[in-house]
Amino acid sequence: SPRTRAVLVGNLPYNLSGPILGWIFASARRWQPVVVMLQLEVARRLVASPATRDFGPLAIARALHFDAAKRFNIRPGSFKPPPTVDSAIVELRPVARPPVRWKDTAGFMNFARALFGQRRKTIRNNIRQNTGLDTVLTERLLVLAGVNGRLRGEQLTWSNLEHLFQAYGTVAASGK
């Protein structure tokens, strides 16, 4: 039945965790809950909150579908043979209300990835380099969104992301 959800539990292969998480997000309505073991670095990026060092496209994509909590870390010595990285268990539960909601989720995610294109660059530079907008249109977008272009992607809040994407739609439609 469409109301029945299955529990999903797994040890995600570290080199395939991105595509598998993408599939989990795309089929989010099927799962309640999801419990996975991941490389610790990926787990941190998956559960990150806005305005934190690990915040980025993975946390944004996850937040559109799931709330997340890192439950505990697992040291390499827990395995035979031991891997070269630490791991973590993460629990994902379907989100009642996503922090941002767009009909064009794919467009929103493409724009979010553009904001984080090069993590050390400001959002001003990332927008200009990754969206096809020139300097004038980039500045118009930032003013319209009311967001400081000197911020880096990991410093953004949900409100910033929402305003930036909304302004991007307006500026891109009028400027291209």
Side-chain angles (χ1 to χ4, degrees), residues 115 119-123 150-156:
L115 292 173
R119 290 186 80 84
R120 291 188 176 171
K121 293 200 174 201
T122 64
I123 61 168
R150 291 184 303 238
L151 295 174
R152 289 180 173 33
E154 63 271 13
Q155 295 174 294
L156 297 172

Side-chain angles (χ1 to χ4, degrees), residues 82-102:
T84 58
V85 297
D86 285 0
S87 303
I89 299 294
V90 173
E91 181 179 359
L92 305 172
R93 293 205 173 264
V95 67
R97 202 167 188 193
V100 291
R101 207 176 213 148
W102 294 102

Side-chain angles (χ1 to χ4, degrees), residues 48-60:
S49 298
T52 63
R53 185 175 63 99
D54 292 317
F55 186 63
L58 183 59
I60 293 168

Side-chain angles (χ1 to χ4, degrees), residues 140-147 159-160 163-165 167:
R140 188 179 307 162
L141 182 155
L142 292 167
V143 168
L144 191 59
V147 176
S159 178
N160 292 152
H163 291 125
L164 284 164
F165 186 60

Side-chain angles (χ1 to χ4, degrees), residues 19-90:
I20 293 171
L21 287 168
W23 174 79
I24 292 170
F25 300 158
S27 60
R29 292 182 180 174
R30 295 181 183 178
W31 316 116
Q32 169 74 24
V34 175
V35 179
V36 291
M37 183 168 65
L38 302 155
Q39 182 177 344
L40 180 58
E41 177 184 328
V42 175
R44 286 182 179 143
R45 291 193 328 250
L46 182 64
V47 304
S49 298
T52 63
R53 185 175 63 99
D54 292 317
F55 186 63
L58 183 59
I60 293 168
R62 184 267 311 153
L64 297 178
H65 306 286
F66 293 100
D67 286 322
K70 184 168 71 78
R71 295 301 179 200
F72 54 89
N73 295 345
I74 303 171
R75 295 261 179 229
S78 302
F79 303 97
K80 297 260 188 249
T84 58
V85 297
D86 285 0
S87 303
I89 299 294
V90 173

